[in-house]
């Protein structure tokens, strides 16, 4: 009876590790978007990697601002996509982001939509793992903010105020 329990435990651990590796191996929304449209459109990408976020956190560690530390500690990586002002391109890129989210609706759900600004989230259970803000600003500028990490609902509410 004990060997059966041990075998079952090993299977559950293996399954958990496999699912974690699979989830971490998939590209975030901005990466997938760049793979699809980065060669066709002039999109600028700025990335703050997990290693850079660790450096930022270690630099802020002595800070007395607990709120800043709490917010930053939730973020694993940041990716920002922008374009030069161009009315036709901004509208097209915004629409392509909507299409990509719709094609991946099992992975990304709409968190908020307003004229020219969509927020999508990816979650596991109640935990938010990814936040994507897509915005067409003033009909001629497109940008996307993609955050990954373990994001709280309170954090997302702050982003909505931006």
């Amino acid at each position: 009876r004990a060997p059966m329990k041990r075998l079952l435990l090993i299977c559950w651990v293996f399954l958990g590790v496999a699912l974690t590796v699979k989830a971490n191996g998939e590209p975030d929304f901005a990466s997938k978007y760049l793979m699809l449209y980065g060669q066709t459109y002039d999109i600028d990408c700025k990335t703050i990697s997990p290693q850079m976020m660790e450096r930022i956190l270690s630099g802020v560690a002595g800070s007395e601002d607990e709120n800043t530390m709490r917010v930053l500690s939730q973020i694993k990586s940041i990716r920002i996509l922008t374009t030069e002002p161009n009315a036709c391109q901004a509208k097209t890129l915004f629409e392509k982001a909507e299409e990509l989210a719709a094609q991946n609706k099992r992975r990304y759900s709409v968190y908020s939509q307003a004229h020219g600004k969509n927020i999508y989230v990816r979650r596991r259970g109640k935990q938010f793992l990814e936040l994507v803000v897509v915005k067409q600003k003033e009909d001629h500028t497109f940008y996307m903010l993609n955050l990954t990490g373990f994001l709280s609902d309170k954090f997302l509410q702050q982003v909505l105020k931006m």
Side-chain angles (χ1 to χ4, degrees):
R1 193 164 172 110
M4 183 61 109
K5 283 184 180 180
R6 188 174 359 175
L7 179 62
L8 187 58
L9 178 64
I10 290 171
C11 288
W12 277 111
V13 169
F14 179 73
L15 180 62
V17 170
L19 290 174
T20 302
V21 168
K22 182 181 184 290
N24 291 336
E26 294 180 22
D28 61 23
F29 190 91
S31 294
K32 186 158 182 107
Y33 189 85
L34 271 177
M35 284 188 277
L36 293 170
Y37 308 113
Q39 297 296 319
T40 308
Y41 298 94
D42 186 20
I43 302 172
D44 186 39
C45 176
K46 304 281 190 248
T47 301
I48 300 174
S49 68
Q51 294 82 11
M52 183 58 80
M53 284 305 300
E54 285 179 22
R55 287 184 183 172
I56 291 170
L57 282 173
S58 67
V60 178
S63 172
E64 293 180 22
D65 186 358
E66 290 180 30
N67 190 41
T68 301
M69 197 55 191
R70 188 172 39 255
V71 169
L72 287 177
S73 67
Q74 294 180 55
I75 301 170
K76 181 178 170 188
S77 68
I78 302 170
R79 196 176 309 265
I80 302 168
L81 306 182
T82 57
T83 61
E84 291 296 318
N86 178 326
C88 296
Q89 186 171 327
K91 182 175 174 29
T92 301
L93 289 170
F94 185 82
E95 290 169 353
K96 293 209 177 284
E98 288 181 312
E99 290 169 13
L100 182 60
Q103 291 167 3
N104 292 279
K105 64 184 174 193
R106 297 186 88 196
R107 183 176 166 117
Y108 296 98
S109 59
V110 175
Y111 188 80
S112 170
Q113 280 184 315
H115 179 69
K117 179 180 176 182
N118 293 346
I119 299 177
Y120 304 99
V121 293
R122 177 171 58 99
R123 63 174 93 200
R124 183 180 305 136
K126 292 185 179 186
Q127 182 69 56
F128 294 99
L129 301 177
E130 188 171 354
L131 168 73
V132 182
V133 179
V134 181
K135 188 167 185 176
Q136 181 182 347
K137 188 176 177 184
E138 300 169 8
D139 293 332
H140 65 275
T141 304
F142 168 84
Y143 79 80
M144 180 186 297
L145 172 66
N146 194 146
L147 303 175
T148 62
F150 297 103
L151 313 169
S152 68
D153 193 48
K154 187 175 180 180
F155 178 86
L156 295 178
Q157 292 301 321
Q158 290 176 334
V159 170
L160 281 174
K161 294 176 185 176
M162 295 186 344

